Amino acid sequence: MAIEVPFWRAIAVYRVASLVYAAVLMAQQRGYGQPVAGWLVIGVMALWTAGATYAYSVPVLRRRPLLVMDLLVTLACLLSSPYVQGAAGPTPVPTAWVAGMMPVPATWVAAPVLAWAVYGGRRAGAVAAAVVAAADLWFVRTPDESVVINGAVLLFLAGVVVGHVARLAKQAEERMQRAIEMEAAQRERDRLARDIHDSVLQVLALVQRRGRQIGGEAAELGRLAGEQEAALRELIASRPATPKGATDLRSLLLRYGSPEVTVSTPATPLILPAETAKGAAAAVKAALDNVRTHCGPQARAWVLAESGEGTVTVSIRDEGPGIPDGRLDQARADGRLGVAESIQGRVAELGGQVSIVSVPGQGTEVEITLPS
């Protein structure tokens, strides 16, 4: 990600500055007890600083193998401190080491901790800090061990804080990228909406109006054109803001709106799992089909959707003649399973319930309740 580039550059600057500081300490101590070995370690540090700076600047190389190698090289330089700082002889006595002197790499040891933190977040930074601090505590002990403990704590805090900040920066960049993509998609949607409004929607509105005027079969074509016009208007006006794998039930129900069907939904989304929302919409369509079949193509119907505590309820009401007592049971016995399967069976598979209330001469109300 582009947001990581400043972090890697800052780590590169830190490596160079820490290398210069370690070289200054080496010069001040005149190479410690083993000058040749000491300056050899500084040379290794300089070579790795140059190599790591280049490697971390290349995204394809910025992987775990490089991070592991970075940590191993740092540990090798750190663990050389007792020998480099000790006196010459077959069994070196670490006089400078015992005096509590800073290890040869000095602050350079924090560089891989910062690299792990930027790459993997605060947990990776904490683990890398623990590895470096453990080596420091085990091999570079001093009479005043609080000095080493303080260094370990600082390493740990650096790994956690830098890792946390890096992760926040990555998340902010991801959100920004999503916002840019959504804005671009919305601009394209608005452009298409203008084009569709100037062409397709006007044609559908004309077909609907002329069909109702002519009557007969043309009236049915006009009704269908009106339904498609309402569905298309809702489609181009909708916003892609639902979570992945979910659907706003409102967008599916509003497609059924027409001069004969009034659809009322809340202002807030009715988010359901995609399959549940599609099944509920199919059940509503089956209920509206029954209204047209038994009450006539010009019959009025009302669809009301609302949310409750953990549920979503959709009611379909008409002003038809109602369902006579025993009619549904008789239809089931005769093998006509429109209501039983298309509505009740489909909703039952989704874990919901269907309630049908019908009064002869006063219409029918089908209430579908689903878990949200």
Side-chain angles (χ1 to χ4, degrees), residues 93-325:
V93 179
T95 53
W97 175 36
V98 172
M101 192 170 293
M102 185 175 289
V104 171
T107 56
W108 193 78
V109 297
V113 175
L114 300 177
W116 275 91
V118 172
Y119 176 82
R122 57 180 179 270
R123 292 182 181 177
V127 171
V131 173
V132 175
D136 196 16
L137 288 170
W138 182 260
F139 288 98
V140 192
R141 287 167 289 185
T142 71
D144 185 8
E145 293 191 359
S146 62
V147 175
V148 182
I149 293 175
N150 290 338
V153 172
L154 290 176
L155 274 177
F156 182 80
L157 291 177
V160 172
V161 172
V162 172
H164 183 65
V165 172
R167 182 54 55 87
L168 290 178
K170 292 177 185 178
Q171 292 174 351
E173 185 183 31
E174 292 173 354
R175 294 192 185 100
M176 179 66 72
Q177 184 63 32
R178 286 197 298 269
I180 293 173
E181 292 174 354
M182 292 176 64
E183 182 181 2
Q186 188 56 46
R187 286 199 299 267
E188 179 64 14
R189 183 184 294 270
D190 292 339
R191 185 189 68 80
L192 292 175
R194 290 190 296 269
D195 294 342
I196 292 174
H197 180 272
D198 294 339
S199 56
V200 179
L201 291 180
Q202 291 184 2
V203 172
L204 290 175
L206 177 61
V207 172
Q208 178 189 11
R209 186 168 59 254
R210 293 291 295 163
R212 298 186 67 179
Q213 292 174 354
I214 296 173
E217 294 183 357
E220 177 64 14
L221 293 177
R223 183 187 67 80
L224 294 175
E227 292 180 356
Q228 295 306 310
E229 180 194 7
L232 190 55
R233 286 186 183 278
E234 172 58 25
L235 179 63
I236 64 178
S238 62
R239 298 295 186 266
T242 56
K244 184 177 181 180
T247 300
D248 185 359
L249 181 60
R250 300 180 309 166
S251 63
L252 301 180
L253 296 180
L254 288 172
R255 298 176 183 178
Y256 301 141
S258 69
E260 292 78 24
V261 179
T262 301
V263 180
S264 301
T265 63
T268 56
L270 296 174
I271 304 299
L272 291 173
E275 292 301 321
T276 301
K278 292 177 181 178
V284 172
K285 182 179 184 301
L288 293 175
D289 289 342
N290 284 338
V291 173
R292 283 192 288 269
T293 300
H294 299 288
C295 304
Q298 303 300 322
R300 295 297 308 276
W302 292 265
V303 178
L304 173 63
E306 55 187 348
S307 61
E309 295 184 0
T311 61
V312 170
T313 302
V314 183
S315 300
I316 306 95
R317 183 172 59 86
D318 64 61
E319 54 182 11
I323 303 175
D325 292 340

Side-chain angles (χ1 to χ4, degrees), residues 322-345:
I323 303 175
D325 292 340
R327 177 70 174 272
L328 293 179
D329 294 335
Q330 183 63 39
R332 184 190 297 270
D334 294 341
R336 291 181 282 115
L337 305 177
V339 173
E341 294 297 331
S342 299
I343 301 177
Q344 294 174 324

Side-chain angles (χ1 to χ4, degrees), residues 34 82-83 86-94:
Q34 300 288 344
Y83 177 75
T91 307
V93 179

Side-chain angles (χ1 to χ4, degrees), residues 7-28:
F7 285 97
W8 296 116
R9 290 176 179 173
I11 294 175
V13 172
Y14 177 84
R15 286 181 190 273
V16 174
S18 297
L19 174 64
V20 172
Y21 178 55
V24 169
L25 291 180
M26 180 70 67
Q28 287 180 345

